[in-house]
Amino acid sequence: MTDKIGVGMLGYSFMGRAHSYAFKNMPHFFSPPPAIPELVSIYGRNVSNVKLAAENYGFRRFTTDWRNIISDGDVHIVDNCLPNYMHHKVSIEAIEHGKHVLCEKPLGMNAAEAKEMWETAKKGKVKAMVAFNYRFVPAVILARELVKTGKLGRIYHFRARYLQQWLIDPNFPLVWRLDKDKAGTGPIGDLGSHIIDLAHFILGDIRSVYAVIKNFIDERPLPYNSTKMGKVTVEDAFVAVVEFYQGAIGTLEASRFATGRMNYNNFEINGENGSIEFNLERMNELKYFIKEGDEKTHGWSNILVTEKVHPYIAKYWPSGHILGWDHTFINEVYHLIDAIVDEKDIGPLGATFEDGYRNNVILDALVESATEGKKVNIHY
Ligand SMILES: NC(=O)c1ccc[n+]([C@@H]2O[C@H](COP(=O)([O-])OP(=O)(O)OC[C@H]3O[C@@H](n4cnc5c(N)ncnc54)[C@H](O)[C@@H]3O)[C@@H](O)[C@H]2O)c1
């Protein structure tokens, strides 16, 4: 009989829903699973919404007090899908209660918070992982392999953009993501944290940043009273020039004001022998250019990353039967549970709390650089 592992979910909305789906469906594909996730309890602030979420997602119970999840004896994994300002306190308490923790990104509101979380995780005898789910896209893992094995040669450039358009409407309400006290930063932490993690995952640590931030709309209607306006306290967009310890230079950009861009998480890497490009909206493909063979036939090709030799694909469908965004979460929770059950390391494939801390250091440096108008050298 495969063991069971109890899951306590914090948050039932966007990420709470995505992660619950992943825990529920992981054994459908990873057979036999390292352990079968049992959806024990789910937390949310609104009693009728969280009750409905428990029924729909398949949780045994629900609560409006997150501490009930952490003290629940049937819960082994606490999954923190709460707004950023609740990552630090709640994840630390969960680890101190002996729970394994999966925490959404960015790990902390700043590097100081993330460092404490990492230190708590080091002391605890549990697994702690940051939910940087794009590490689990097969095409991203292939991109990393092409860089790490030297196929592209020396890497000169890494440029990444994470662009969305959902804030263009000036009447879009002042949700928690626009409040510095709850989110920490705007697209720097929301979208930038993802592309910074991909840069770190594929190329290694960033050495310096030089950033510019911009606000386009200063006030928005309050979410529960649209006749009143409240102040937007985070940036609306950033661009940055970065240097890597490995020698490459690059650019990072994120915005929620990029008209026509829905979830455009894109990076391009140029090396001495070839280049690759990834775009999440075409997540089954990796664009590939290699300087080999006849110059007359040089050109970009499109690798459809759905062959059984590609990462994770053999767990799912036959060749060419594409995967979706939701599968990144299934791969992610499999990785965590496998690490727990078989006592494996979270890294380098999964993002450790140390990776989360290093990510927060860059986020802080971007804010410092943009605020002070200077290049900031990174000290971890
Ligand atoms: N990995 C990814 O691709 C990805 C995508 C989106 C969000 N995230 C991260 O996941 C976390 C949650 O984001 P989300 O999109 O699920 O948020 P959401 O607003 O959709 O859900 C937030 C949940 O937290 C609960 N909550 C508790 N206190 C709250 C408060 N003061 N304000 C609002 N909600 C509160 C709500 O009940 C809700 O269930 C964030 O840290 C975010 O950065 C990650």
Side-chain angles (χ1 to χ4, degrees):
M1 277 287 282
T2 310
D3 284 342
K4 303 267 166 80
I5 189 158
V7 178
M9 186 62 61
L10 300 172
Y12 56 78
S13 198
F14 186 25
M15 280 306 106
R17 191 150 71 102
H19 288 210
S20 301
Y21 170 88
F23 279 112
K24 194 170 171 180
N25 288 289
M26 184 273 282
H28 196 101
F29 298 106
F30 291 82
S31 176
I36 296 177
E38 281 204 310
L39 304 188
V40 175
S41 188
I42 184 164
Y43 154 80
R45 294 169 303 166
N46 178 302
V47 69
S48 54
N49 288 354
V50 72
K51 180 173 183 289
L52 192 63
E55 283 164 16
N56 290 344
Y57 307 162
F59 283 87
R60 262 190 254 153
R61 38 186 185 267
F62 62 89
T63 175
T64 54
D65 181 351
W66 57 265
R67 286 201 164 85
N68 288 338
I69 301 268
I70 284 171
S71 58
D72 192 320
D74 295 335
V75 167
H76 305 106
I77 299 171
V78 169
D79 190 350
N80 190 341
C81 293
L82 296 174
N84 307 349
Y85 78 105
M86 294 181 76
H87 290 179
H88 173 260
K89 178 167 76 171
V90 179
S91 299
I92 285 183
E93 275 199 39
I95 293 170
E96 287 174 347
H97 271 76
K99 310 295 185 189
H100 306 286
V101 169
L102 177 60
C103 182
E104 262 301 344
K105 43 53 62 175
L107 184 58
M109 291 280 276
N110 49 50
E113 276 197 7
K115 191 159 198 193
E116 279 176 22
M117 296 170 81
W118 173 32
E119 274 162 5
T120 308
K122 273 194 285 188
K123 278 185 252 146
K125 289 186 175 48
V126 294
K127 298 292 177 192
M129 177 163 144
V130 192
F132 279 118
N133 57 306
Y134 297 129
R135 289 179 175 223
F136 294 94
V137 175
V140 168
I141 300 173
L142 179 61
R144 181 176 190 265
E145 192 184 310
L146 292 172
V147 170
K148 296 274 183 207
T149 56
K151 184 81 181 164
L152 304 183
R154 181 177 163 196
I155 304 299
Y156 298 129
H157 296 291
F158 178 95
R159 63 185 77 78
R161 301 180 282 173
Y162 201 157
L163 306 177
Q164 299 178 342
Q165 68 158 15
W166 56 275
L167 281 180
I168 285 172
D169 179 357
N171 292 318
F172 189 92
L174 193 74
V175 294
W176 69 263
R177 282 188 163 80
L178 301 169
D179 177 352
K180 188 170 191 268
D181 292 340
K182 293 195 169 72
T185 55
I188 286 181
D190 186 16
L191 309 176
S193 64
H194 274 302
I195 52 177
I196 291 161
D197 182 64
L198 290 178
H200 172 74
F201 182 56
I202 295 170
L203 262 198
D205 279 327
I206 289 174
R207 182 197 191 104
S208 74
V209 302
Y210 188 90
V212 173
I213 57 177
K214 186 80 185 164
N215 272 86
F216 302 118
I217 292 179
D218 295 334
E219 288 193 323
R220 288 180 176 274
L222 297 179
Y224 302 109
N225 180 0
S226 59
T227 60
K228 281 201 169 160
M229 302 294 275
K231 209 164 163 31
V232 174
T233 49
V234 297
E235 79 288 349
D236 282 329
F238 88 93
V239 288
V241 175
V242 300
E243 292 175 299
F244 289 84
Y245 275 100
Q246 156 282 357
I249 58 169
T251 54
L252 303 173
E253 179 181 4
S255 175
R256 301 177 290 200
F257 279 74
T259 309
R261 293 297 186 191
M262 306 306 162
N263 198 26
Y264 186 68
N265 176 357
N266 162 264
F267 65 77
E268 178 172 312
I269 299 173
N270 310 122
E272 61 181 328
N273 299 332
S275 294
I276 46 180
E277 186 189 1
F278 171 76
N279 165 13
L280 182 68
E281 291 172 349
R282 299 280 179 275
M283 64 169 271
N284 289 278
E285 299 168 14
L286 187 67
K287 287 197 173 151
Y288 181 58
F289 179 94
I290 196 79
K291 273 173 52 190
E292 270 173 7
D294 183 356
E295 246 180 84
K296 281 186 192 155
T297 54
H298 269 175
W300 285 84
S301 58
N302 222 8
I303 306 171
L304 189 60
V305 192
T306 58
E307 295 299 322
K308 62 177 183 299
V309 293
H310 289 135
Y312 290 111
I313 300 297
K315 299 287 177 197
Y316 291 94
W317 315 117
S319 304
H321 293 69
I322 53 178
L323 301 191
W325 175 81
D326 42 351
H327 296 96
T328 65
F329 297 97
I330 296 178
N331 297 343
E332 179 174 82
V333 304
Y334 164 76
H335 184 75
L336 174 66
I337 295 175
D338 190 42
I340 294 170
V341 173
D342 289 332
E343 295 183 19
K344 295 179 184 163
D345 291 336
I346 292 294
L349 176 54
T352 62
F353 272 26
E354 178 178 359
D355 293 325
Y357 158 69
R358 285 172 181 265
N359 192 277
N360 266 114
V361 169
I362 307 295
L363 306 186
D364 286 1
L366 290 169
V367 174
E368 182 189 341
S369 167
T371 313
E372 297 184 13
K374 62 172 197 195
K375 173 173 152 179
V376 171
N377 292 314
I378 308 296
H379 305 286
Y380 293 102

